Amino acid sequence: MPKKYDVLVIGGGPAGYVAAIRAAQLGFTVACCESNPYADPKGKPRLGGTCLNVGCIPSKALLHTSRLFEEARDGFAAQGIAINKPKIDVPTMIARKNAVVARLTQGIALLFKKNGVALLEGRGYFVGPCENGWRVKVGEETVEAARVIVATGSRARHLPDIPVDNRIVCDNVGALDIATVPKKLLVVGAGVIGLEMGSIWRRLGSELTILEALPDFLPQADADIVREAARAFSRQGFDIRLGVTLNKVEVTKKGVAVHCTDKSGAALEFAADRMIVSVGRVPNTEGLNAEGVGLALDAQGRVETDAHCRTNLPGVWAIGDVVSGPMLAHKAMEEACMVAEVMAGQSGSRRFDAIPWVLYTSPEIAWVGKTEQQLKADGVAYKTGKAPFMANGRALGASETAGFVKMLVDAQTDRILGVHIVGANASELISEAVVAIEFSAASEDIARICHAHPTLSEVLHEAALACDGRAIHF
Ligand code: FAD
Ligand code: NAI
């Protein structure tokens, strides 16, 4: 007799493991299947998905180390701290990153035990409907579940004619495990991964060139913020080439040679000892429909869902990177809780306009809500309040004066429509703006809140005051 569960989750990433835990908290019997061992020494499937194993967490661990290294090398002397020239020990840096990952992934396994979620090891795919739900094959075992949540995530998109070996040519997986600092590093794609990974290795000493196909980079961000970030990146030595078309990539044991053309059609050539390809991600849906259950996919190959993440199959939901919307871990976790709660008869919905974006570059970039270019395109009358980090005492004391906060509010109602930050700790500062947007606050509401002094949060406060022309400190 196959084992029976109320809920089976396919995929153990942030979408899947959170859905499994929340469903168990709500009283369902739950199993979650995962097939990828990532770097597990025993080759057993590891929980945490892309985010914990080869995404958010390891990249932020390396960003942290590289930031400290750069600060020691370039920033200490100005503060009167004399040290010998620091050296980076890459194997220790990678081992620390791996330890952080191992600790977190093991932590998820413990949370499964605590909440009574069964972990099934193996790839899951639909066999077909059964009397009370769905029959799903996981490895050699077949189980039955009244409800199934597809949370199979995404993987790096690769380009035709550029084979990724995760040694010389890396995607996000290899880029987190490069064994020595490349002398020259080429990155294809000036998106979120390209800028973060490029930052890590540039800080450690790589000469960095980023090749971007579009005439601009980060088109989803506010153009003002991108201009400011581009200036800062250029000062740091990023060589970002826009409007580039790759023609031929030659890979040898020692490196790559890339032949391309720029936007005017002129030929360009680059050679490097490592290359990172970061040109977006594709949803993992292979095999789910192998037995012809008819799970509907959209034109981009993502599982089609309604606003509650229901698919076209009865009792089957889909969440996270495998469905539409931003490919972000916090979006995946929001959908996970919503689906579990809707299954339990509670209410819930997903809302994309209050999802924050963060880039962990220097300076950090973060935003929530509409950009100025979107408001213009939508014909919305708006006012802008902008405040520089340069006028903030805490920023000055920390030598973190680059950047600004820009708040966009409705010209008639003063309701906050978007907040865009480029500057130190943008990743943390954005939370106040998320609360404001989630609760339809006005700039006047932020202006009236007492912000601790001296903190970087005062820059957001000043931006709110500036919406009404009454900033105090600049
Ligand atoms: P995934 O994390 O991809 O998990 C899906 C899991 O399902 C995988 O483990 C996979 O092995 C498993 N699976 C697939 N098919 C099957 C099957 N048939 N049976 C069993 N198991 C299956 N987001 C942020 O919000 N902040 C960040 O700072 C951030 N940094 C990132 C850095 C990098 C380098 C990358 C690549 C991504 C980053 N992301 C970040 C994005 C984030 O990792 C994803 O949005 C998030 O992991 C999506 O979660 P998910 O559960 O939908 O998918
Ligand atoms: P991306 O979509 O952010 O950027 C890809 C870039 O590659 C784009 O600028 C695109 O124009 C460019 N490109 C595409 N084809 C190209 C080609 N042939 N030649 C040159 N350039 C080309 O995708 P990326 O960076 O791979 O990241 C994937 C996703 O992972 C992100 O969109 C985000 O959802 C998530 N992520 C989130 C992070 C965060 O929240 N801090 C960090 C890293 C990833």
Side-chain angles (χ1 to χ4, degrees):
M1 279 289 281
K3 280 195 194 128
K4 290 189 165 78
Y5 298 95
D6 295 332
V7 179
L8 173 71
V9 184
I10 306 180
Y17 82 74
V18 172
I21 291 172
R22 187 71 191 110
Q25 285 174 346
L26 289 162
F28 294 108
T29 57
V30 185
C32 174
C33 68
E34 172 60 59
S35 55
N36 195 334
Y38 296 100
D40 185 76
K42 293 187 187 140
K44 285 176 83 67
R46 263 192 169 181
L47 291 167
T50 302
C51 171
L52 265 60
N53 291 283
V54 288
C56 325
I57 299 301
S59 60
K60 269 77 246 181
L62 296 186
L63 278 157
H64 178 76
T65 305
S66 62
R67 185 76 212 267
L68 291 182
F69 176 76
E70 185 179 43
E71 188 69 19
R73 185 188 57 202
D74 304 336
F76 275 16
Q79 305 205 30
I81 305 171
I83 54 165
N84 290 331
K85 195 174 167 208
K87 286 193 198 136
I88 184 71
D89 172 356
V90 177
T92 301
M93 173 181 81
I94 300 284
R96 175 191 163 274
K97 177 265 295 178
N98 290 341
V100 170
V101 168
R103 187 163 169 176
L104 279 172
T105 57
Q106 286 155 14
I108 307 294
L110 290 177
L111 289 175
F112 270 21
K113 283 208 177 95
K114 181 183 152 200
N115 287 284
V117 176
L119 170 60
L120 309 179
E121 298 181 352
R123 265 193 99 67
Y125 63 90
F126 291 97
V127 176
C130 60
E131 199 187 344
N132 180 29
W134 292 92
R135 198 164 283 144
V136 176
K137 187 135 193 209
V138 181
E140 296 305 306
E141 193 183 1
T142 300
V143 298
E144 287 182 7
R147 305 160 190 83
V148 178
I149 301 176
V150 176
T152 47
S154 68
R155 63 183 183 280
R157 183 166 83 86
H158 291 173
L159 292 170
D161 305 325
I162 308 186
V164 169
D165 61 0
N166 274 326
R167 217 183 66 75
I168 301 291
V169 180
C170 300
D171 59 17
N172 62 296
V173 177
L176 293 161
D177 269 329
I178 296 176
T180 52
V181 178
K183 199 163 168 318
K184 288 190 179 182
L185 175 65
L186 266 181
V187 173
V188 182
V192 192
I193 295 183
L195 293 168
E196 288 190 357
M197 298 288 189
S199 295
I200 294 169
W201 297 102
R202 183 208 58 78
R203 290 170 185 170
L204 298 177
S206 294
E207 199 180 298
L208 172 67
T209 305
I210 305 187
L211 307 176
E212 167 58 50
L214 293 178
D216 292 305
F217 68 106
L218 294 183
Q220 70 273 44
D222 190 274
D224 248 359
I225 296 283
V226 178
R227 259 192 303 277
E228 177 76 8
R231 273 196 291 271
F233 295 156
S234 156
R235 278 196 299 274
Q236 291 162 21
F238 282 60
D239 180 6
I240 303 180
R241 305 294 180 103
L242 301 172
V244 170
T245 306
L246 300 187
N247 298 323
K248 196 170 160 201
V249 176
E250 292 167 296
V251 185
T252 66
K253 279 186 183 155
K254 292 201 168 151
V256 284
V258 176
H259 306 267
C260 38
T261 35
D262 71 8
K263 49 189 164 209
S264 69
L268 295 172
E269 265 188 45
F270 298 94
D273 35 347
R274 288 282 186 284
M275 181 156 97
I276 296 173
V277 180
S278 46
V279 293
R281 298 185 61 80
V282 289
N284 292 326
T285 54
E286 294 65 32
L288 289 174
N289 263 329
E291 302 295 328
V293 289
L295 182 66
L297 306 183
D298 68 15
Q300 280 86 44
R302 300 169 302 198
V303 178
E304 226 165 48
T305 58
D306 68 9
H308 288 101
C309 294
R310 283 191 187 89
T311 71
N312 64 318
L313 302 180
V316 177
W317 278 259
I319 54 176
D321 277 13
V322 78
V323 304
S324 64
M327 286 179 154
L328 295 173
H330 41 280
K331 175 262 193 185
M333 294 191 265
E334 284 287 303
E335 288 178 340
C337 290
M338 175 193 75
V339 162
E341 287 162 14
V342 169
M343 282 175 172
Q346 300 179 6
S347 63
S349 61
R350 65 176 172 181
R351 191 180 153 179
F352 289 157
D353 63 335
I355 294 176
W357 275 87
V358 177
L359 269 75
Y360 298 79
T361 46
S362 321
E364 290 185 349
I365 299 170
W367 72 89
V368 58
K370 300 276 189 196
T371 61
E372 190 163 356
Q373 57 267 29
Q374 281 170 332
L375 293 179
K376 278 189 181 144
D378 295 347
V380 176
Y382 63 92
K383 288 196 298 179
T384 306
K386 216 165 155 181
F389 280 78
M390 183 66 93
N392 175 274
R394 184 77 189 276
L396 211 57
S399 301
E400 295 276 15
T401 50
F404 55 83
V405 175
K406 172 172 164 180
M407 190 175 283
L408 299 164
V409 299
D410 186 287
Q412 269 82 49
T413 63
D414 188 36
R415 193 178 145 194
I416 299 171
L417 304 172
V419 175
H420 305 271
I421 308 176
V422 54
N425 276 23
S427 54
E428 303 291 341
L429 295 178
I430 200 66
S431 293
E432 182 177 0
V434 177
V435 174
I437 291 208
E438 186 73 46
F439 292 97
S440 307
S443 78
E444 184 62 20
D445 296 317
I446 302 288
R448 283 174 184 275
I449 292 173
C450 182
H451 289 71
H453 175 77
T455 62
L456 297 176
S457 74
E458 289 173 290
V459 187
L460 192 82
H461 187 221
E462 290 281 334
L465 291 168
C467 289
D468 194 29
R470 56 192 170 111
I472 302 286
H473 290 94
F474 62 94

Short mmCIF file of all heavy atoms in Angstrom, two decimals, residues 10-16 33-36 38 48-51 54-56 59-60 122-124 151-154 172 193 196-197 281 284 288 319-322 327-330 332 360, ligand 1:
data_model
loop_
_atom_site.label_atom_id
_atom_site.label_comp_id
_atom_site.label_asym_id
_atom_site.label_seq_id
_atom_site.Cartn_x
_atom_site.Cartn_y
_atom_site.Cartn_z
N ILE A 10 6.83 18.92 -3.73
CA ILE A 10 7.92 18.47 -4.60
C ILE A 10 8.95 19.58 -4.67
O ILE A 10 8.70 20.64 -5.25
CB ILE A 10 7.41 18.12 -6.02
CG1 ILE A 10 6.27 17.10 -5.95
CG2 ILE A 10 8.56 17.59 -6.89
CD1 ILE A 10 5.70 16.69 -7.30
N GLY A 11 10.12 19.37 -4.05
CA GLY A 11 11.18 20.38 -4.03
C GLY A 11 11.38 20.92 -2.63
O GLY A 11 10.43 21.32 -1.96
N GLY A 12 12.66 20.94 -2.18
CA GLY A 12 12.96 21.34 -0.80
C GLY A 12 13.66 22.67 -0.68
O GLY A 12 14.45 22.89 0.24
N GLY A 13 13.41 23.60 -1.63
CA GLY A 13 13.98 24.95 -1.55
C GLY A 13 13.13 25.83 -0.63
O GLY A 13 12.24 25.34 0.07
N PRO A 14 13.38 27.17 -0.65
CA PRO A 14 12.62 28.08 0.23
C PRO A 14 11.11 27.98 0.00
O PRO A 14 10.34 28.14 0.96
CB PRO A 14 13.11 29.46 -0.17
CG PRO A 14 14.41 29.26 -0.84
CD PRO A 14 14.41 27.88 -1.42
N ALA A 15 10.69 27.73 -1.24
CA ALA A 15 9.25 27.57 -1.48
C ALA A 15 8.78 26.28 -0.83
O ALA A 15 7.82 26.27 -0.05
CB ALA A 15 8.97 27.55 -2.99
N GLY A 16 9.48 25.17 -1.13
CA GLY A 16 9.03 23.86 -0.70
C GLY A 16 9.16 23.62 0.79
O GLY A 16 8.21 23.16 1.44
N CYS A 33 9.69 16.04 -0.99
CA CYS A 33 10.75 15.27 -1.65
C CYS A 33 11.78 16.20 -2.27
O CYS A 33 11.46 17.30 -2.73
CB CYS A 33 10.17 14.30 -2.68
SG CYS A 33 9.42 15.07 -4.10
N GLU A 34 13.02 15.77 -2.21
CA GLU A 34 14.14 16.54 -2.77
C GLU A 34 15.14 15.55 -3.34
O GLU A 34 15.39 14.49 -2.74
CB GLU A 34 14.79 17.40 -1.68
CG GLU A 34 16.08 18.10 -2.08
CD GLU A 34 15.95 19.06 -3.26
OE1 GLU A 34 15.17 20.02 -3.17
OE2 GLU A 34 16.62 18.84 -4.28
N SER A 35 15.72 15.91 -4.50
CA SER A 35 16.62 14.96 -5.16
C SER A 35 18.07 15.43 -5.24
O SER A 35 18.97 14.63 -5.46
CB SER A 35 16.12 14.70 -6.59
OG SER A 35 15.98 15.93 -7.27
N ASN A 36 18.32 16.72 -5.04
CA ASN A 36 19.66 17.25 -5.33
C ASN A 36 20.57 17.16 -4.10
O ASN A 36 20.28 17.76 -3.07
CB ASN A 36 19.54 18.70 -5.79
CG ASN A 36 20.79 19.20 -6.46
OD1 ASN A 36 21.89 18.71 -6.20
ND2 ASN A 36 20.65 20.18 -7.33
N TYR A 38 23.48 18.52 -3.94
CA TYR A 38 24.38 19.68 -3.94
C TYR A 38 25.78 19.19 -3.52
O TYR A 38 26.29 18.26 -4.12
CB TYR A 38 23.83 20.81 -3.06
CG TYR A 38 22.52 21.35 -3.60
CD1 TYR A 38 21.27 20.96 -3.07
CD2 TYR A 38 22.51 22.24 -4.67
CE1 TYR A 38 20.08 21.45 -3.60
CE2 TYR A 38 21.31 22.72 -5.21
CZ TYR A 38 20.11 22.32 -4.66
OH TYR A 38 18.92 22.79 -5.18
N GLY A 48 16.97 23.01 1.26
CA GLY A 48 17.37 24.42 1.16
C GLY A 48 17.39 24.97 -0.26
O GLY A 48 17.45 26.17 -0.46
N GLY A 49 17.41 24.06 -1.26
CA GLY A 49 17.31 24.48 -2.65
C GLY A 49 18.46 25.34 -3.11
O GLY A 49 19.56 25.34 -2.53
N THR A 50 18.20 26.08 -4.17
CA THR A 50 19.21 26.98 -4.74
C THR A 50 19.65 27.99 -3.68
O THR A 50 20.84 28.25 -3.50
CB THR A 50 18.58 27.77 -5.92
OG1 THR A 50 18.10 26.83 -6.88
CG2 THR A 50 19.58 28.71 -6.56
N CYS A 51 18.68 28.55 -2.98
CA CYS A 51 18.95 29.65 -2.04
C CYS A 51 20.02 29.29 -1.02
O CYS A 51 21.02 29.98 -0.88
CB CYS A 51 17.64 30.01 -1.36
SG CYS A 51 17.81 31.16 -0.01
N VAL A 54 23.35 27.06 -3.32
CA VAL A 54 24.15 27.67 -4.40
C VAL A 54 23.60 29.04 -4.80
O VAL A 54 23.69 29.43 -5.96
CB VAL A 54 24.21 26.72 -5.64
CG1 VAL A 54 25.09 25.52 -5.37
CG2 VAL A 54 22.81 26.28 -6.07
N GLY A 55 23.02 29.76 -3.85
CA GLY A 55 22.40 31.04 -4.19
C GLY A 55 22.60 32.08 -3.11
O GLY A 55 23.74 32.45 -2.78
N CYS A 56 21.49 32.50 -2.52
CA CYS A 56 21.47 33.63 -1.57
C CYS A 56 22.56 33.51 -0.50
O CYS A 56 23.34 34.43 -0.28
CB CYS A 56 20.14 33.72 -0.84
SG CYS A 56 18.68 33.27 -1.77
N SER A 59 26.42 33.13 -1.56
CA SER A 59 26.90 34.36 -2.21
C SER A 59 27.06 35.47 -1.17
O SER A 59 28.03 36.23 -1.22
CB SER A 59 25.98 34.80 -3.35
OG SER A 59 24.67 35.05 -2.89
N LYS A 60 26.14 35.54 -0.20
CA LYS A 60 26.26 36.59 0.81
C LYS A 60 27.43 36.30 1.76
O LYS A 60 28.08 37.24 2.26
CB LYS A 60 24.96 36.75 1.60
CG LYS A 60 24.03 37.78 0.99
CD LYS A 60 23.29 37.32 -0.22
CE LYS A 60 23.56 37.92 -1.51
NZ LYS A 60 22.75 37.39 -2.62
N GLY A 122 14.58 11.76 -3.38
CA GLY A 122 14.45 11.36 -4.79
C GLY A 122 13.65 12.37 -5.58
O GLY A 122 13.01 13.26 -5.02
N ARG A 123 13.70 12.22 -6.90
CA ARG A 123 12.94 13.10 -7.80
C ARG A 123 11.48 12.73 -7.73
O ARG A 123 11.12 11.55 -7.73
CB ARG A 123 13.40 12.88 -9.24
CG ARG A 123 14.44 13.82 -9.71
CD ARG A 123 14.61 13.74 -11.21
NE ARG A 123 13.90 14.82 -11.89
CZ ARG A 123 14.23 16.09 -11.80
NH1 ARG A 123 15.24 16.46 -11.05
NH2 ARG A 123 13.55 17.02 -12.45
N GLY A 124 10.63 13.73 -7.69
CA GLY A 124 9.20 13.45 -7.66
C GLY A 124 8.57 13.77 -9.00
O GLY A 124 8.93 14.77 -9.62
N ALA A 151 7.16 22.78 -6.16
CA ALA A 151 8.09 23.85 -5.74
C ALA A 151 9.48 23.47 -6.25
O ALA A 151 10.44 23.39 -5.49
CB ALA A 151 8.07 23.98 -4.22
N THR A 152 9.55 23.24 -7.57
CA THR A 152 10.77 22.65 -8.15
C THR A 152 11.82 23.69 -8.55
O THR A 152 12.91 23.33 -9.00
CB THR A 152 10.40 21.78 -9.36
OG1 THR A 152 9.49 22.51 -10.18
CG2 THR A 152 9.72 20.49 -8.92
N GLY A 153 11.50 24.99 -8.41
CA GLY A 153 12.53 26.02 -8.53
C GLY A 153 13.06 26.24 -9.93
O GLY A 153 12.38 26.01 -10.93
N SER A 154 14.32 26.69 -9.98
CA SER A 154 14.91 27.08 -11.27
C SER A 154 16.39 26.72 -11.29
O SER A 154 16.98 26.38 -10.26
CB SER A 154 14.76 28.59 -11.47
OG SER A 154 15.56 29.28 -10.52
N ASN A 172 26.19 29.94 -11.63
CA ASN A 172 26.21 30.32 -10.21
C ASN A 172 26.84 29.25 -9.32
O ASN A 172 27.41 29.55 -8.27
CB ASN A 172 24.79 30.64 -9.71
CG ASN A 172 23.85 29.45 -9.79
OD1 ASN A 172 23.55 28.96 -10.86
ND2 ASN A 172 23.39 28.97 -8.64
N ILE A 193 23.06 38.49 -10.49
CA ILE A 193 24.15 37.56 -10.17
C ILE A 193 25.48 38.11 -10.69
O ILE A 193 26.49 38.09 -9.97
CB ILE A 193 23.88 36.16 -10.78
CG1 ILE A 193 22.65 35.54 -10.11
CG2 ILE A 193 25.10 35.26 -10.64
CD1 ILE A 193 22.31 34.14 -10.56
N GLU A 196 26.74 40.82 -8.32
CA GLU A 196 27.16 40.33 -7.00
C GLU A 196 28.43 39.46 -7.11
O GLU A 196 29.38 39.64 -6.35
CB GLU A 196 26.04 39.54 -6.34
CG GLU A 196 24.90 40.45 -5.87
CD GLU A 196 23.85 39.75 -5.00
OE1 GLU A 196 23.95 38.52 -4.77
OE2 GLU A 196 22.93 40.42 -4.55
N MET A 197 28.42 38.53 -8.04
CA MET A 197 29.60 37.65 -8.18
C MET A 197 30.81 38.46 -8.63
O MET A 197 31.94 38.23 -8.17
CB MET A 197 29.34 36.54 -9.21
CG MET A 197 28.21 35.62 -8.83
SD MET A 197 28.69 34.53 -7.48
CE MET A 197 27.30 33.44 -7.48
N ARG A 281 17.52 32.71 -15.38
CA ARG A 281 17.27 31.36 -14.89
C ARG A 281 16.05 30.76 -15.57
O ARG A 281 15.17 31.48 -16.03
CB ARG A 281 17.10 31.38 -13.35
CG ARG A 281 18.39 31.87 -12.69
CD ARG A 281 18.36 31.80 -11.19
NE ARG A 281 18.19 30.48 -10.63
CZ ARG A 281 19.16 29.57 -10.48
NH1 ARG A 281 20.39 29.84 -10.89
NH2 ARG A 281 18.91 28.41 -9.92
N ASN A 284 12.39 24.69 -13.41
CA ASN A 284 12.58 23.22 -13.45
C ASN A 284 11.22 22.53 -13.55
O ASN A 284 10.49 22.45 -12.54
CB ASN A 284 13.23 22.74 -12.14
CG ASN A 284 14.65 23.20 -11.99
OD1 ASN A 284 15.39 23.33 -12.95
ND2 ASN A 284 15.06 23.47 -10.75
N LEU A 288 7.86 16.43 -14.77
CA LEU A 288 6.61 16.54 -14.00
C LEU A 288 5.43 16.01 -14.82
O LEU A 288 4.52 15.38 -14.31
CB LEU A 288 6.35 18.00 -13.62
CG LEU A 288 7.27 18.60 -12.56
CD1 LEU A 288 7.00 20.09 -12.39
CD2 LEU A 288 7.09 17.88 -11.22
N ILE A 319 4.49 27.05 -6.63
CA ILE A 319 5.00 28.25 -5.94
C ILE A 319 6.50 28.45 -6.21
O ILE A 319 7.20 27.51 -6.60
CB ILE A 319 4.80 28.13 -4.40
CG1 ILE A 319 5.41 26.83 -3.86
CG2 ILE A 319 3.34 28.21 -4.04
CD1 ILE A 319 5.34 26.69 -2.33
N GLY A 320 6.97 29.68 -5.99
CA GLY A 320 8.41 29.96 -6.05
C GLY A 320 8.90 30.24 -7.47
O GLY A 320 8.15 30.73 -8.32
N ASP A 321 10.16 29.93 -7.71
CA ASP A 321 10.78 30.25 -9.00
C ASP A 321 10.13 29.54 -10.18
O ASP A 321 10.30 29.96 -11.32
CB ASP A 321 12.27 29.83 -8.98
CG ASP A 321 13.17 30.88 -8.34
OD1 ASP A 321 12.65 31.80 -7.69
OD2 ASP A 321 14.41 30.76 -8.48
N VAL A 322 9.41 28.46 -9.91
CA VAL A 322 8.83 27.69 -11.03
C VAL A 322 7.55 28.35 -11.55
O VAL A 322 7.00 27.92 -12.57
CB VAL A 322 8.60 26.22 -10.60
CG1 VAL A 322 7.35 26.05 -9.73
CG2 VAL A 322 8.52 25.31 -11.82
N MET A 327 12.02 36.10 -9.20
CA MET A 327 12.67 34.86 -8.73
C MET A 327 13.47 35.20 -7.48
O MET A 327 14.70 35.35 -7.52
CB MET A 327 13.56 34.30 -9.83
CG MET A 327 12.78 33.66 -10.96
SD MET A 327 13.90 33.05 -12.21
CE MET A 327 12.93 31.74 -12.93
N LEU A 328 12.77 35.34 -6.36
CA LEU A 328 13.39 35.73 -5.11
C LEU A 328 12.95 34.79 -4.00
O LEU A 328 11.79 34.35 -3.98
CB LEU A 328 12.99 37.17 -4.74
CG LEU A 328 13.46 38.26 -5.70
CD1 LEU A 328 12.85 39.60 -5.34
CD2 LEU A 328 14.99 38.36 -5.73
N ALA A 329 13.84 34.52 -3.07
CA ALA A 329 13.55 33.57 -2.00
C ALA A 329 12.39 34.06 -1.13
O ALA A 329 11.53 33.27 -0.73
CB ALA A 329 14.79 33.34 -1.15
N HIS A 330 12.36 35.37 -0.83
CA HIS A 330 11.29 35.84 0.07
C HIS A 330 9.93 35.80 -0.62
O HIS A 330 8.91 35.61 0.02
CB HIS A 330 11.60 37.23 0.65
CG HIS A 330 12.19 38.21 -0.30
ND1 HIS A 330 13.51 38.20 -0.64
CD2 HIS A 330 11.64 39.23 -1.00
CE1 HIS A 330 13.76 39.19 -1.48
NE2 HIS A 330 12.63 39.82 -1.72
N ALA A 332 9.17 33.43 -2.78
CA ALA A 332 8.86 32.00 -2.73
C ALA A 332 8.27 31.64 -1.36
O ALA A 332 7.28 30.90 -1.26
CB ALA A 332 10.14 31.19 -2.99
N TYR A 360 23.31 43.05 -3.23
CA TYR A 360 24.28 43.18 -2.13
C TYR A 360 25.64 43.61 -2.66
O TYR A 360 26.67 43.03 -2.35
CB TYR A 360 24.35 41.86 -1.36
CG TYR A 360 23.01 41.50 -0.74
CD1 TYR A 360 22.00 40.95 -1.50
CD2 TYR A 360 22.76 41.75 0.60
CE1 TYR A 360 20.76 40.65 -0.95
CE2 TYR A 360 21.53 41.44 1.17
CZ TYR A 360 20.54 40.89 0.39
OH TYR A 360 19.31 40.60 0.94
P1 FAD B 1 14.87 26.41 -5.51
O1 FAD B 1 15.58 27.09 -4.43
O2 FAD B 1 15.51 26.30 -6.84
O3 FAD B 1 14.51 24.95 -4.94
C1 FAD B 1 13.87 23.99 -5.70
C2 FAD B 1 14.36 22.62 -5.26
O4 FAD B 1 13.54 21.63 -5.88
C3 FAD B 1 15.78 22.32 -5.68
O5 FAD B 1 16.55 21.94 -4.55
C4 FAD B 1 15.66 21.17 -6.66
O6 FAD B 1 16.73 20.22 -6.55
C5 FAD B 1 14.36 20.52 -6.24
N1 FAD B 1 13.69 19.81 -7.32
C6 FAD B 1 13.49 20.20 -8.60
N2 FAD B 1 12.76 19.29 -9.26
C7 FAD B 1 12.50 18.29 -8.38
C8 FAD B 1 11.78 17.08 -8.47
N3 FAD B 1 11.13 16.73 -9.59
N4 FAD B 1 11.73 16.29 -7.38
C9 FAD B 1 12.35 16.63 -6.22
N5 FAD B 1 13.03 17.78 -6.08
C10 FAD B 1 13.09 18.60 -7.15
N6 FAD B 1 16.97 35.45 -3.80
C11 FAD B 1 16.82 36.35 -2.80
O7 FAD B 1 15.68 36.61 -2.40
N7 FAD B 1 17.89 36.97 -2.22
C12 FAD B 1 19.15 36.71 -2.62
O8 FAD B 1 20.10 37.28 -2.08
C13 FAD B 1 19.35 35.77 -3.67
N8 FAD B 1 20.59 35.48 -4.08
C14 FAD B 1 20.76 34.55 -5.07
C15 FAD B 1 22.04 34.29 -5.51
C16 FAD B 1 22.26 33.38 -6.52
C17 FAD B 1 23.65 33.08 -6.97
C18 FAD B 1 21.14 32.70 -7.10
C19 FAD B 1 21.35 31.66 -8.17
C20 FAD B 1 19.86 32.95 -6.68
C21 FAD B 1 19.65 33.90 -5.66
N9 FAD B 1 18.37 34.21 -5.22
C22 FAD B 1 18.21 35.15 -4.24
C23 FAD B 1 17.18 33.57 -5.78
C24 FAD B 1 16.70 32.42 -4.86
O9 FAD B 1 17.75 31.50 -4.69
C25 FAD B 1 15.49 31.75 -5.47
O10 FAD B 1 14.50 32.71 -5.74
C26 FAD B 1 14.92 30.71 -4.51
O11 FAD B 1 15.88 29.72 -4.23
C27 FAD B 1 13.67 30.07 -5.11
O12 FAD B 1 13.20 29.07 -4.25
P2 FAD B 1 12.42 27.80 -4.81
O13 FAD B 1 12.16 26.94 -3.63
O14 FAD B 1 11.29 28.23 -5.65
O15 FAD B 1 13.43 27.08 -5.78
#
